Amino acid sequence: MTKEPREIRCKGLGVSEGIVLGQVLRLQHGTPHVYHWKIDDADLETERQRFRAAVGLASRQVLTIKEQAEQRFGKDHAYIFDAHLLLLEDEKLIGDIERHITEQHTNAEWAVKVVGDGLLYLYSQIKDDYLRERGSDIEDVMQRLLVALSGAQPENRSLSEDAVIVAQDLLPSAVAELDLAHARAFATDMGGWTSHTAILARGVGIPAVVGLRDSYRRTKTGDRIIVDSTRNEVILNPSADTLEQYQTESVRRLERRGAADRVERGPVQTADGVEVTLRANVEVPSEFDGVERYGASGVGLYRSEFLLARRGGMVSEAEQCEAYEAIAKVAGSQGAVIRLFDLGGENMREQFQEPEKNPALGLRAIRFVLSNEAVMRTQVRAILLAAASGHLKIVLPMVADVSDVRRAQAIILEEATGLKQAGQSVGAVSVGAMIEVPSAVFMADKIARIVDFFELGTNDLVQYTLAVDRGNDEVADWFRTLHPAVLHSIDQSLKAAARGGIPAIVCGEMASTPAYAVLLIGLGATDLSMTPSAIPRVRRAIAGIDAEQARAIATECLNCESANEVEDLVRERFAKLWPQLFPPASLPAPRQVK
Ligand code: PEP
Ligand code: MG
């Protein structure tokens, strides 16, 4: 008799709301380990045949993927797989690997690795950006060959209806590649509230629990799993009793949701008449519906790097233009703010960069685009062209001071002039700066004089002000959104914008959390951009409070000396003033003394 697997509960951090019962799909990340062993003379031909069979299998797989890609995205986008097929047919490459097997008496996996790494090294030395980027094709093909040699199936990314993605870490690019229509939930060992995977999960409304530490090693694909972000946990192999309890709860939740589904639109007013604009942050097309559905006033932040993540590499000017036109259409008369690619850091670093020792402090965001001018110019042209038929703005991510802004503005101006001279129609595009690092906060008055608007990226503002990695669950206790240093940074940036006479949108995750949004109003924010599905609850909170009272609380918070003190104060004041709006679970939890 087979024993029922034991129910296991793993605690983490619920970062995207919801409860889901499904089946585990383990997603492994990274290259398989490759071992080296010796092949005797007598076995060399068999080894070469094993390699050729793997090449055949890999080619057949690529052909199938290419056909699927043609059907899903059209012929134009399937061309990358031609490059993979050409590599698998390349006599020199295949011949080199076979020769390595023969001459070094080595197993095929090792030969693939040695020859592949050699070729990758050569590509990494090429000056031409385009050719150098082709290295990722080689890496992809080598990995496919290694999987084919191991006899394993490549990862199945077309998901069953109830797939719960379980992974150690989930890079945003891997998420973007998934068939999100079918992924029911994410559960990862690593990650934090503001990691991009968490943001994306909230954006597309997929429940997620991160920071589970060791759930990945405890699961097998196909296991039953419950992801319960409301209780910050996942339950592996739930017992019959647990299943029953969850099934009853899910029916109740659906009933409650039905009752709460009336949507208001446009700006919201606090009870004492301060008007606040509510915009949407979007990353992928499946979120676009939410802009209208949740009554957003346009798109306050489009994280354009997700466009590349979905395609697994650079995207042509024409395709980008089409994508930005689509966003402008979704945003309507309120317009959309397109952020220049925020690449580097945790975003697609593998596709575009050599590994860096400190990626968050490395060639990220504005530094990346200024160092890869061709990439920036292509994107800027695409935005300018798309702006001819819609309302678009550009925001520059992670600027440190006016020199970053001026360099970017000069490029934008050159491209606009070039397009006009070529007879193309371009739209007028205002340019803003994201304030998300301490240097930008210190220089905010000067930056405000030369840009059209600010966007406060509070996720990075917390990360960089407090020097706490936003995606590292080991330091999650130090990631304190309500730290007085963070509140002072927000306060100073908003005041600098007001002094400079420019608007400021707050677009970090802080704006999506009702209690934090109220504090932002208290600090003087009147324009918030957030995950679309958060808009109704933030709207309800703002409509129910007095801005004047929020200002008084914010002033008290600015005078606190620690994050604990701010959180205690917020809990105490909010519970007293607005008990209906802010039940204890919606307020920062009291800290455990360890
Ligand atoms: C932020 O940092 O708050 C922000 C909006 O940008 P991202 O989360 O994409 O870094
Ligand atoms: Mg940011």
Side-chain angles (χ1 to χ4, degrees):
M1 201 175 86
T2 52
K3 232 170 83 192
E4 279 287 304
R6 195 167 56 87
E7 174 177 303
I8 302 173
R9 290 181 183 239
C10 303
K11 278 283 175 198
L13 175 69
V15 292
S16 178
E17 210 181 305
I19 299 176
V20 157
L21 166 64
Q23 270 190 70
V24 169
L25 177 76
R26 275 166 52 111
L27 213 63
Q28 203 174 1
H29 175 65
T31 319
H33 286 294
V34 176
Y35 298 97
H36 179 199
W37 66 89
K38 197 166 165 33
I39 305 289
D40 293 336
D41 274 341
D43 296 326
L44 279 174
E45 181 50 26
T46 317
E47 191 64 9
R48 284 190 295 262
Q49 275 172 13
R50 193 167 78 86
F51 169 63
R52 275 177 233 132
V55 175
L57 177 61
S59 305
R60 287 194 296 282
Q61 286 168 353
V62 176
L63 261 179
T64 312
I65 297 172
K66 184 179 166 216
E67 280 160 20
Q68 284 167 353
E70 274 175 5
Q71 278 163 18
R72 276 177 75 185
F73 310 122
K75 269 203 163 39
D76 290 352
H77 306 311
Y79 70 92
I80 41 171
F81 299 107
D82 286 331
H84 292 200
L85 282 173
L86 281 175
L87 279 168
L88 287 165
E89 285 159 11
D90 186 311
E91 282 176 19
K92 167 90 174 72
L93 175 64
I94 302 302
D96 279 354
I97 297 174
E98 286 196 19
R99 252 187 310 286
H100 198 85
I101 298 174
T102 314
E103 288 168 10
Q104 304 300 319
H105 286 77
T106 184
N107 55 317
E109 288 85 350
W110 190 251
V112 167
K113 173 131 183 67
V114 171
V115 174
D117 282 355
L119 198 56
L120 274 173
Y121 176 75
L122 288 180
Y123 268 73
S124 71
Q125 303 300 304
I126 298 177
K127 288 269 176 290
D128 180 284
D129 286 350
Y130 178 80
L131 282 176
R132 197 174 51 248
E133 279 155 19
R134 302 286 59 75
S136 63
D137 291 329
I138 298 172
E139 221 169 334
D140 205 326
V141 167
M142 294 302 148
Q143 180 143 348
R144 185 170 296 285
L145 277 174
L146 290 174
V147 174
L149 279 165
S150 74
Q153 287 298 316
E155 277 171 19
N156 181 6
R157 302 255 164 125
S158 85
L159 310 176
S160 69
E161 290 290 331
D162 59 352
V164 170
I165 311 298
V166 179
Q168 282 172 312
D169 194 9
L170 211 47
L171 288 176
S173 54
V175 178
E177 245 177 36
L178 287 169
D179 179 0
L180 287 174
H182 286 156
R184 300 276 324 269
F186 300 143
T188 63
D189 287 357
M190 289 152 82
W193 174 259
T194 62
S195 63
H196 278 107
T197 300
I199 291 172
L200 188 63
R202 286 193 288 279
V204 294
I206 294 178
V209 179
V210 305
L212 290 158
R213 309 231 161 159
D214 67 348
S215 64
Y216 179 75
R217 78 172 171 83
R218 290 161 176 250
T219 53
K220 298 190 303 305
T221 290
D223 282 354
R224 280 203 172 235
I225 183 170
I226 292 172
V227 174
D228 181 350
S229 77
T230 59
R231 294 188 180 88
N232 296 312
E233 71 178 0
V234 304
I235 307 171
L236 310 174
N237 310 311
S239 67
D241 283 353
T242 308
L243 281 174
E244 199 187 310
Q245 174 208 332
Y246 270 91
Q247 267 143 7
T248 324
E249 253 185 51
S250 78
V251 172
R252 274 200 228 118
R253 281 178 165 269
L254 280 177
E255 284 166 3
R256 277 205 299 272
R257 189 181 290 178
D261 258 1
R262 281 184 311 277
V263 174
E264 289 171 43
R265 332 192 151 267
V268 57
Q269 286 204 351
T270 60
D272 55 349
V274 173
E275 190 170 287
V276 180
T277 305
L278 303 174
R279 304 178 197 270
N281 292 347
V282 294
E283 291 83 35
V284 293
S286 51
E287 292 170 291
F288 289 3
D289 282 356
V291 178
E292 157 70 16
R293 184 165 357 115
Y294 297 110
S297 296
V299 171
L301 174 68
Y302 171 58
R303 291 180 164 98
S304 65
E305 59 281 357
F306 277 87
L307 185 60
L308 311 188
R310 279 188 294 131
R311 297 285 159 78
M314 204 36 75
V315 173
S316 72
E317 182 180 315
E319 269 181 88
Q320 283 190 49
C321 182
E322 217 176 279
Y324 304 143
E325 276 169 357
I327 290 155
K329 206 157 158 210
V330 166
S333 61
Q334 302 286 338
V337 183
I338 310 284
R339 176 171 73 186
L340 292 192
F341 297 134
D342 187 349
L343 293 166
E346 62 169 354
N347 293 333
M348 296 194 76
R349 54 174 184 255
E350 291 173 344
Q351 283 90 336
F352 289 103
Q353 277 175 344
E354 291 296 308
E356 290 182 304
K357 201 159 173 212
N358 282 314
L361 303 183
L363 198 59
R364 187 191 155 183
I366 193 75
R367 305 169 189 175
F368 178 91
V369 289
L370 288 174
S371 307
N372 292 275
E373 239 185 78
V375 170
M376 175 171 170
R377 286 181 185 277
T378 305
Q379 183 175 29
V380 165
R381 279 196 304 277
I383 298 171
L384 291 168
L385 291 169
S389 56
H391 302 284
L392 294 177
K393 295 178 183 178
I394 290 177
V395 73
L396 311 171
M398 227 177 115
V399 297
D401 51 34
V402 288
S403 64
D404 280 343
V405 176
R406 286 217 167 95
R407 282 178 66 190
Q409 283 171 329
I411 291 173
I412 296 169
L413 187 65
E414 273 168 34
E415 290 305 327
T417 312
L419 287 171
K420 281 182 205 151
Q421 279 167 354
Q424 306 251 46
S425 51
V426 298
V429 167
S430 51
V431 178
M434 292 215 47
I435 305 295
E436 44 188 355
V437 294
S439 50
V441 175
F442 286 123
M443 305 308 292
D445 273 312
K446 306 241 187 278
I447 300 174
R449 280 190 215 134
I450 61 166
V451 296
D452 299 308
F453 62 98
F454 274 178
E455 288 224 21
L456 272 60
T458 56
N459 306 330
D460 280 315
L461 211 44
V462 179
Q463 157 162 273
Y464 293 115
T465 304
L466 304 181
V468 177
D469 183 344
R470 60 195 267 189
N472 181 350
D473 57 292
E474 298 284 346
V475 288
D477 282 350
W478 281 267
F479 192 93
R480 307 288 288 277
T481 303
L482 298 190
H483 195 292
V486 174
L487 302 183
H488 276 286
S489 302
I490 295 170
D491 180 54
Q492 285 179 31
S493 309
L494 290 173
K495 284 185 175 141
R499 280 192 291 268
I502 57 168
I505 303 173
V506 183
C507 65
E509 291 309 289
M510 199 175 166
S512 307
T513 311
Y516 295 175
V518 169
L519 264 193
L520 288 169
I521 307 298
L523 290 167
T526 53
D527 203 329
L528 307 178
S529 192
M530 67 202 77
T531 303
S533 60
I535 292 175
R537 57 173 189 263
V538 170
R539 180 187 291 281
R540 269 195 301 280
I542 294 176
I545 59 117
D546 273 351
E548 201 184 322
Q549 287 173 321
R551 275 196 289 272
I553 299 174
T555 309
E556 281 190 88
C557 291
L558 286 169
N559 286 321
C560 288
E561 43 181 55
S562 67
N564 282 356
E565 201 185 330
V566 176
E567 290 178 2
D568 289 346
L569 193 114
V570 165
R571 257 197 323 279
E572 206 259 313
R573 297 284 189 277
F574 279 45
K576 201 149 139 211
L577 282 172
W578 307 301
Q580 254 72 36
L581 284 175
F582 297 103
S586 70
L587 295 169
R591 293 274 145 178
Q592 309 286 343
V593 181
K594 287 194 181 153

